Amino acid sequence: RAPTAALAALLMLRCAARATPVALSARTVGSKALKRATTAPPVRSYRGAMGARASSTKASAVPEGLSDGCKGAAPEPGMALPLVGTEEIMSQKAHGTTEEAVQEDLRWSCSGQVADRIVSFNRHYAEHAGYWLETSFLTENSIPPEEPITFYDSVTGKPLFRAPIGRSWADFIKESKSHGWPSFRDEEVVWDDVRVLPDGEAVSLAGSHLGHNLPDRSGNRYCINLVSVAGKEKK
């Protein structure tokens, strides 16, 4: 039989009573989640993929003007590339990990001071994300080059990378912009003078710190500080 008005009202009150705890529980869970989100320890936040901005708890430890680095990927066993180097490459020499300081008057108006700190006295930190966009690199190459650009070691002047190869200039710039640092692929590395250490650090045989290997779905991707490869060819 159809319930009376009084019975119907009673059923509605019971349903409301049952629903109320659920609604309160949902709000409580939401508030707890919000509290956790706002009180959880800060995590490292990467701008691009390579040198990350330091978390608030570590910001004071990052040298002024530089960006917190990141851990590169260990080379996959059995893979032809990257060519793996040893820690001996980065042993202490006359000028940090290199025999000499970086060249004067680096290409693209790169800072010699920043370059020297990153290249010869550093294994971890990086130029800040987007630094390369603040140099004259893009303005000097406003017209896509007909031939790949050669990037030279900022200390020795030896060729380390040539790009773009196997892709367009637009694709090279797009990928580099998306990650915050010039990003090279296997075929764009001059392996005569570049090695990747077991922890993913990319270095030159002269002991220059270059950046890190951070593979993605397309393969190895070498995120490199522009100041490390802004040298002029030594003939």
Side-chain angles (χ1 to χ4, degrees), residues 23-229:
L24 288 173
S25 177
R27 285 197 295 270
T28 302
V29 171
S31 65
K32 288 182 178 179
L34 178 60
K35 184 177 181 181
R36 285 196 299 269
T38 56
T39 59
V43 295
R44 181 174 293 175
S45 173
Y46 288 90
R47 294 180 60 190
M50 185 180 133
R53 289 293 187 188
S55 66
S56 60
T57 58
K58 296 177 65 178
S60 60
V62 179
E64 184 179 356
L66 302 186
S67 173
D68 193 16
C70 69
K71 186 177 180 180
E76 291 288 337
M79 298 295 289
L81 295 174
L83 295 183
V84 180
T86 66
E87 276 292 324
E88 185 179 358
I89 297 172
M90 301 301 284
S91 63
Q92 290 299 303
K93 305 177 183 68
H95 189 78
T97 58
T98 59
E99 291 292 350
E100 300 175 349
V102 298
Q103 300 175 9
E104 296 182 1
D105 300 322
L106 294 173
R107 297 165 78 190
W108 307 304
S109 303
C110 286
S111 166
Q113 181 180 11
V114 173
D116 200 49
R117 293 168 68 188
I118 289 177
V119 172
S120 302
F121 298 95
N122 164 67
R123 305 291 302 279
H124 176 73
Y125 298 110
E127 64 195 25
H128 65 77
Y131 172 86
W132 69 286
L133 297 173
E134 299 170 6
T135 69
S136 61
F137 180 81
L138 286 183
T139 56
E140 290 186 30
N141 296 286
S142 57
I143 299 176
E146 295 182 0
E147 298 293 332
I149 291 177
T150 300
F151 298 79
Y152 298 96
D153 191 317
S154 291
V155 174
T156 66
K158 292 185 177 181
L160 302 179
F161 300 92
R162 296 182 73 242
I165 293 178
R167 54 178 169 172
S168 69
W169 174 256
D171 287 340
F172 168 66
I173 296 300
K174 180 180 179 181
E175 181 172 63
S176 297
K177 282 184 175 180
S178 69
H179 295 294
W181 290 263
S183 296
F184 302 92
R185 297 292 175 171
D186 284 336
E187 59 271 24
E188 296 170 327
V189 183
V190 181
W191 291 108
D192 289 345
D193 269 285
V194 176
R195 295 292 185 272
V196 175
L197 303 189
D199 64 354
E201 181 185 7
V203 303
S204 78
L205 289 181
S208 298
H209 172 83
L210 306 178
H212 292 85
N213 178 28
L214 297 167
D216 57 18
R217 288 177 294 181
S218 299
N220 292 315
R221 179 172 58 80
Y222 307 95
C223 285
I224 303 300
N225 295 287
L226 186 63
V227 297
S228 299
V229 294

